[in-house]
Amino acid sequence: MSFVEYGDTIKDGDTAIVFLGHESMFPVKVQHGTVTQTKYGVIRHSTDLIGKKYGSKVTCSKGGWVFILHPTPELWTMNLPHRTQILYSTDISIITMMLELKPGSIVCESGTGSGSLSHALIRTVAPTGHLYTVEFHQQRAEKAREEFREHGVEHLVTVTNQDVCKNGFGVSNIADAVFLDIPSPWEAIGHAKSALKAEGGRICSFSPCIEQVQRTCLAMEEYGFTEINTLEILLRVYNVRTISLQIPDLGKAAEANSSTGFDSSDPSNQGSLSANLQQGTVQFKSGVPLREMVGHTGYLTFATKS
């Protein structure tokens, strides 16, 4: 199983996504002889998962059912174990586009964190590119190596445990792009410039506070970066539903009732009046934004090596 080389059949040792619904899913490591508990009952890996095709509908012990999905970077972002705050698909999508990444690109990243962006970068640069990711925290770096190995992408990524602000990325003049997600990115701009290829490399810095952005932009100018711009991505989700509204009475119904001697005040005519009102409705789709939604995540600052 690999996050970038998709297979049809679930195998022992795979990481799979148990899909109960759009708002309910979780990852599971498939192991012979193991069982997984869900609200619909038990899933037995040996008989219910191993050998089945990804996307299969699996019936649990209580009679309910779930789908077993092949993991993707998008699904992993929604279900990964959080060791740090992570980037979500909204920011990841603009990062991969604005850094001009493609298969074969060389990318440097710091810090690795929980690996949400890392998996997306690896999938984007595969099969011939490479990701050099630096993590300051030793335990997080070791856990990231373990996950990359389990997910079948260890040949596409190199994890280094060091302080990028002091020691850099460990490579020079080869990267097509650099991504920074650290507390003081301005201290790593010099190392980022050294890691980028001779001309035209792109850099992106993610920071939650505008004061961080200001210092980073000044550092980029000092090191000769051009096309410096900062943006913020805000996601607005709409709830689409079917509603019924009464067709407005513009007076024709009242005139018709008058001409036929219809007395709306007569109790015997109330049922007929109610039926007419019910018949005078129309259904249509309406979309309104959710009352609560994710707002600010962070500022993305992009620049080009001159």
Side-chain angles (χ1 to χ4, degrees):
M1 187 277 300
S2 171
F3 272 51
V4 297
E5 298 171 359
Y6 298 101
D8 293 331
T9 307
I10 304 171
K11 299 181 178 62
D12 190 13
D14 283 2
T15 298
I17 304 296
V18 180
F19 181 89
L20 294 83
H22 289 289
E23 302 297 330
S24 179
M25 62 184 90
F26 59 90
V28 61
K29 185 173 182 179
V30 180
Q31 293 179 310
H32 185 77
T34 302
V35 298
T36 297
Q37 294 282 351
T38 75
K39 63 181 180 180
Y40 300 126
V42 171
I43 301 174
R44 295 174 175 83
H45 294 199
S46 301
T47 57
D48 297 332
L49 299 184
I50 297 176
K52 300 290 182 65
K53 286 189 175 183
Y54 279 107
S56 297
K57 183 178 179 180
V58 173
T59 302
C60 304
S61 61
K62 293 182 180 179
W65 47 267
V66 298
F67 288 104
I68 308 299
L69 306 181
H70 196 292
T72 65
E74 292 81 5
L75 290 174
W76 186 244
T77 290
M78 298 170 64
N79 296 281
L80 58 78
H82 286 229
R83 299 183 289 274
T84 60
Q85 291 288 337
I86 69 169
L87 291 176
Y88 289 92
S89 298
T90 306
D91 290 314
I92 292 173
S93 59
I94 197 70
I95 290 169
T96 55
M97 185 189 76
M98 295 293 288
L99 289 181
E100 302 174 4
L101 302 182
K102 60 186 182 299
S105 295
I106 305 298
V107 186
C108 292
E109 175 197 24
S110 182
T112 312
S114 300
S116 174
L117 176 64
S118 303
H119 282 82
L121 294 177
I122 291 169
R123 198 264 306 274
T124 302
V125 304
T128 55
H130 200 84
L131 172 66
Y132 294 90
T133 183
V134 178
E135 173 56 52
F136 176 80
H137 194 273
Q138 181 179 357
Q139 285 74 24
R140 287 201 293 263
E142 292 174 353
K143 185 60 179 179
R145 288 194 194 97
E146 178 185 341
E147 285 182 349
F148 293 142
R149 184 169 56 254
E150 291 179 353
H151 299 165
V153 296
E154 71 276 9
H155 61 292
L156 297 169
V157 57
T158 299
V159 182
T160 305
N161 172 220
Q162 63 187 29
D163 185 351
V164 70
C165 296
K166 295 181 179 179
N167 307 113
F169 294 93
V171 297
S172 299
N173 302 319
I174 64 169
D176 297 288
V178 169
F179 176 79
L180 298 174
D181 182 8
I182 55 178
S184 53
W186 55 90
E187 296 181 1
I189 299 299
H191 294 296
K193 183 177 181 179
S194 299
L196 287 168
K197 59 187 181 181
E199 185 177 358
R202 295 279 287 167
I203 184 174
C204 174
S205 174
F206 176 90
S207 297
C209 301
I210 196 63
E211 291 81 8
Q212 294 170 303
V213 174
Q214 292 170 336
R215 296 189 64 175
T216 302
C217 288
L218 291 174
M220 287 178 174
E221 289 180 346
E222 180 182 347
Y223 281 95
F225 284 89
T226 59
E227 299 178 348
I228 302 172
N229 65 87
T230 299
L231 52 88
E232 179 185 24
I233 308 299
L234 299 177
L235 178 65
R236 191 175 190 183
V237 179
Y238 277 78
N239 180 22
V240 179
R241 61 179 186 265
T242 301
I243 66 173
S244 297
L245 287 181
Q246 183 179 336
I247 298 175
D249 183 0
L250 301 180
K252 293 183 178 180
E255 294 176 1
N257 291 337
S258 299
S259 62
T260 57
F262 183 87
D263 184 5
S264 60
S265 62
D266 187 346
S268 62
N269 292 329
Q270 292 298 318
S272 177
L273 178 61
S274 176
N276 289 335
L277 291 176
Q278 289 179 358
Q279 291 175 359
T281 60
V282 62
Q283 289 187 336
F284 63 94
K285 295 290 185 180
S286 175
V288 294
L290 302 180
R291 293 185 178 181
E292 295 182 0
M293 64 186 71
V294 176
H296 171 74
T297 57
Y299 301 102
L300 295 168
T301 302
F302 295 92
T304 303
K305 182 178 179 180
S306 177

